[in-house]
Amino acid sequence: MTSATAPTVFVVDDDALVRAAIQGMLKSVGLRSETFGTAQEFLRSKRPDGPSCLVLDVRLPGVNGLDFQRELADAGVRIPIIFITGHGDIPMTVKAMKSGALEFLTKPFRDQDLLDAIHQALDRDRLAREQESELAQLRKCFESLTAREREVMGLVVSGMLNKQIAFDLGTSEITVKIHRGHVMRKMRAESLAQLVRMASKLKLPSGKE
């Protein structure tokens, strides 16, 4: 694993002692971390392009953690968030979790509880990145298709036979077979079922609109 793809835990807390304690704990289990005193410092930082999560204090100078959670979502920054706070209450917890937070821990919390949440968050982010990468590759393959090949693909995944597609497009069945072969090769699909799954992931309309 390269340093660019190694997981990173970001810690945003205005208490230097808390930051140091969490960073020390993470180092002891071999996890890389970066700490920040404010949300603004985190936003200004250059973040490595690997799995990550954010351990975020609810009460921060300038902007509170819940508002910052919303700002990140609005900016399209998708990162699993684990909230920590010394002043938690049920409405606050509910609001954070409804907005997508992975965990909400009240200080003082057990190190193991935080570590469990961090490992869960990193696994979630790793999976999301893999799915995003797979989708980007699928889009690239789809963009390599000609307009007619895309049309044929849409009809194929809707369940139409070659002769039905040929009739629908006003062309010969042999031409449809050629286009279909190009689609399978360019999309790197080994079966019709796999091509259907690809179309579903790409959210393509099946058949003619």
Side-chain angles (χ1 to χ4, degrees):
M1 189 179 293
T2 65
S3 59
T5 57
T8 305
V9 180
F10 300 106
V11 181
V12 181
D13 194 305
D14 61 336
D15 187 328
L17 291 177
V18 171
R19 293 198 304 273
I22 293 175
Q23 192 163 39
M25 178 196 67
L26 294 172
K27 186 176 182 181
S28 73
V29 296
L31 281 172
R32 182 173 70 178
S33 62
E34 294 181 20
T35 65
F36 308 91
T38 67
Q40 290 70 28
E41 284 177 29
F42 171 73
L43 283 178
R44 286 195 299 266
S45 69
K46 181 173 172 55
R47 296 181 290 281
D49 188 27
S52 61
C53 69
L54 176 60
V55 177
L56 181 62
D57 190 17
V58 171
R59 294 179 185 267
L60 291 168
V63 58
N64 73 50
L66 295 175
D67 289 339
F68 186 53
Q69 179 187 28
R70 190 174 61 250
E71 281 181 27
L72 288 174
D74 291 345
V77 178
R78 292 186 295 276
I79 182 170
I81 295 175
I82 299 159
F83 277 109
I84 55 175
T85 180
H87 314 276
D89 56 41
I90 291 174
M92 187 186 290
T93 306
V94 169
K95 183 178 179 182
M97 302 302 276
K98 277 188 173 180
S99 298
L102 190 137
E103 186 59 272
F104 197 104
L105 300 173
T106 303
K107 301 172 186 175
F109 45 79
R110 293 191 317 130
D111 285 356
Q112 192 58 51
D113 289 340
L114 179 57
L115 275 177
D116 288 346
I118 285 170
H119 283 300
Q120 186 183 349
L122 291 174
D123 286 344
R124 177 188 288 187
D125 195 49
R126 192 177 288 110
L127 179 61
R129 285 168 179 273
E130 287 170 1
Q131 291 173 339
E132 205 171 284
S133 176
E134 181 189 352
L135 188 56
Q137 185 59 48
L138 272 182
R139 288 198 186 104
K140 190 175 178 181
C141 291
F142 183 71
E143 286 164 8
S144 74
L145 301 181
T146 65
R148 178 47 63 97
E149 286 165 355
R150 293 180 192 185
E151 199 171 8
V152 168
M153 178 175 169
L155 296 172
V156 166
V157 299
S158 74
M160 289 176 67
L161 302 174
N162 287 348
K163 61 183 179 182
Q164 295 172 314
I165 296 172
F167 179 80
D168 205 58
L169 298 180
T171 188
S172 69
E173 193 172 342
I174 188 69
T175 301
V176 170
K177 284 182 180 177
I178 292 169
H179 285 314
R180 185 170 179 158
H182 289 167
V183 168
M184 297 296 283
R185 179 176 55 81
K186 289 182 179 180
M187 293 301 297
R188 302 174 188 172
E190 295 177 3
S191 66
L192 174 59
Q194 189 178 9
L195 190 68
V196 170
R197 286 194 296 271
M198 289 174 171
S200 175
K201 287 176 181 176
L202 289 166
K203 295 183 169 57
L204 301 182
S206 59
K208 299 186 78 171
E209 292 183 88

